[in-house]
Every structure is written in C-alpha cells, then in structure tokens.
Amino acid sequence: MKPTARNPAAADLSCEVCGMMPEPTKTRLTLANVAVMLPIELLVHALVVETQLPYVAKVLVLTLTATVLVIWVAEPSAARVLRSWLHAPALRHRKRLGTAPALWRARTVLRDQPGSLQKITQALARLDTNILSIHVHPVPGGVLDEFVLSAPGNLSERELLDALHDGGGSHSHVWPTTALAMADGQTKALSLAARIADAPDELPLAVAELLRARIVPPAEAAVVVETDDAGTRLKIPTAWHGPITFVRPGEPFTPAESARAHRLAELAEILSHRPAAARS
C-alpha cells in the first residue's frame, strides 16, 4: 500500500539550527492577539469598574494590566494556542513541497527478453512514477536499463528499489537527481568535445564533468587495488602522462559512458599532436 503524505505539524516548521518558528503574517498575528487579549481585557475592565477605587487609580490599573497582557500574555498565548492557524500558510506551502514530484536516476539489470521492460514500467506505474528517459546498455547476463524518473515527493528510495525488484530488476540502484539529468548524454559529450577542441589539456575536467566523477590523483591511483571496484573506477589514456583514473562510488560506469570518455581522450590526443597553427 502506497503511503500518503502526512499533514506536517506546526512544530515541524521549527528551524533545525536556532529552533525558531517562521514569522507569521502580520494580519494573522494581529487577529490572534486580539482573539486572545480581548476576552481577558473585558474581564479585567468589568472587575475594575465594579471596585470603589478612585478614577485615577482605575486608569492606572487598567493601563498596567493592558501592558502586562500585551507583553507577557497575549502574544505568547496566541503563538501557543493558535499556532497551527498562525502558521497555516507555511504549513500549506510545506505540504505542497512535500508532495511535489521528485526526480530520481535509477539503474537496474533486466533479462534481455521480450516483456522485461513492460513488467518494470508497470511496477513503477503502480507507484505513480513516470519514466522521463531511458537508456539501455548491453551487459553480461542481460541489459542495464538507466532511467530518469519523476516520482511523488513522498516516495522513498526503498519503495523505488522494491518496485524495480518486483519488476524483475536486479542489482538496482537509485539516486536523487535534478533536471540536469534530462540533458542528453550525446549532446553533453559533443559540447565537451568542443571544449576540448579549443583546449585539449581540459580533458580531465571535461571527462569528470561528463561522468559526474572524481579525478583520482596519480599518487592515490598507484596504490589503489583495482579489483572489486564494481565498475566504479575508469581509466582513460592521455597523450601527456599516462592514463587518468576516475572514480564514482556507488554508481558503476556504463559501457556507453566509458566509450564517450575514451572518444574524448582520442580527440584530445589528436589535437595535442596537431600544430597550434592548424588548430587555430
């Protein structure tokens, strides 16, 4: 059963750093203060008027009482008693944010047979999850499907993984992502190729941007054991100082990503051996 978005309590709006609540709107705060203070003031006025105190004393008592009510009673009481109403606009905004669609990247290995993709799309559809893009990479034992998904904001990573498993996927991974994931990989590679054409020594940074990976320093790469990296480590050749190693923990490189990185390296090598006059 798919969980529903809960209505957040006012206390959930407290800042995690300072513990303060958001400032309510001036109109709501004024109305709350009046609602809390008016009954108390009416009661105090009724009691004071019935006493035998001199007129000046009555005015002084009412003035002091009103001051105390405003400073120590009215606003703190309003903030406490009418908290949910005071922060209703912020609560509604937070609820909209909580239920807004979230973007995820997902990878799973499927059997390379008819109906496999249909089964997994049906499993995702049961969670109201929409597939925005899909890339298929042949791998040993099947195909690696890579998705960009738009899912309800209250959907958890565990629920997405369960859906991929129910749809017949294995070795599944999901990561929160942004709209940048919708950028076509081929288009991005071409844009970075143009960057390398202008400056071949930009190859390491361009590949790191293409793969969303970290460049491993040469000293670190020399001592790292290259086994059991689960495909999260990639080496590409360079025309300057041997291969450059990239790492992306928890997210194995696909064959297509590896091929694009190597083609960029070939382009940089060709341009680096071409005279500067020919490049310009």
Side-chain angles (χ1 to χ4, degrees):
M1 181 178 178
K2 185 178 71 173
T4 57
R6 67 184 184 91
N7 190 14
D12 292 346
L13 296 174
S14 298
C15 175
E16 295 180 357
V17 177
C18 65
M20 299 293 290
M21 299 282 285
E23 187 69 23
T25 62
K26 194 68 176 178
T27 301
R28 285 180 177 259
L29 185 58
T30 301
L31 292 175
N33 286 337
V34 170
V36 171
M37 192 165 58
L38 187 59
I40 302 175
E41 282 215 71
L42 288 175
L43 177 61
V44 172
H45 276 69
L47 294 175
V48 171
V49 168
E50 292 297 324
T51 65
Q52 302 301 319
L53 293 173
Y55 177 76
V56 175
K58 289 182 179 181
V59 172
L60 182 60
V61 170
L62 290 175
T63 302
L64 291 174
T65 303
T67 303
V68 170
L69 286 173
V70 170
I71 297 176
W72 286 291
V73 178
E75 190 160 325
S77 298
R80 183 173 58 256
V81 176
L82 301 175
R83 177 180 295 180
S84 296
W85 182 80
L86 277 172
H87 299 291
L91 288 169
R92 286 196 296 269
H93 180 63
R94 177 166 180 169
K95 185 177 180 181
R96 285 195 298 269
L97 290 177
T99 56
L103 292 179
W104 297 82
R105 292 179 60 240
R107 285 180 179 173
T108 191
V109 177
L110 299 176
R111 294 180 179 178
D112 190 8
Q113 62 185 30
S116 295
L117 182 58
Q118 180 182 8
K119 185 178 179 181
I120 204 163
T121 55
Q122 289 174 345
L124 291 170
R126 285 193 290 270
L127 295 180
D128 294 331
T129 297
N130 187 29
I131 298 176
L132 301 180
S133 72
I134 179 173
H135 296 282
V136 180
H137 312 281
V139 295
V143 290
L144 174 65
D145 283 13
E146 184 171 15
F147 305 97
V148 176
L149 306 173
S150 174
N154 60 327
L155 206 63
S156 68
E157 177 182 340
R158 182 71 262 165
E159 289 173 293
L160 285 173
L161 288 172
D162 289 343
L164 294 174
H165 180 268
D166 293 342
S170 61
H171 303 92
S172 302
H173 299 277
V174 296
W175 306 269
T177 189
T178 66
L180 293 176
M182 294 301 297
D184 179 74
Q186 292 87 339
T187 302
K188 187 175 183 180
L190 288 172
S191 299
L192 293 172
R195 173 178 168 184
I196 292 173
D198 182 61
D201 57 350
E202 287 280 302
L203 173 67
L205 296 177
V207 173
E209 181 179 340
L210 174 68
L211 303 178
R212 302 177 303 279
R214 179 177 69 88
I215 303 172
V216 179
E220 181 182 335
V223 299
V224 171
V225 178
E226 299 184 12
T227 58
D228 299 328
D229 62 7
T232 60
R233 188 172 300 273
L234 176 67
K235 282 187 177 182
I236 63 170
T238 68
W240 306 282
H241 51 73
I244 301 177
T245 303
F246 299 87
V247 65
R248 194 170 62 185
E251 188 175 353
F253 297 108
T254 65
E257 288 176 324
S258 176
R260 292 168 192 157
H262 280 80
R263 297 298 83 76
L264 289 179
E266 290 177 4
L267 174 63
E269 183 171 2
I270 292 171
L271 293 172
S272 66
H273 288 93
R274 185 174 298 178
R279 291 203 301 269
S280 58

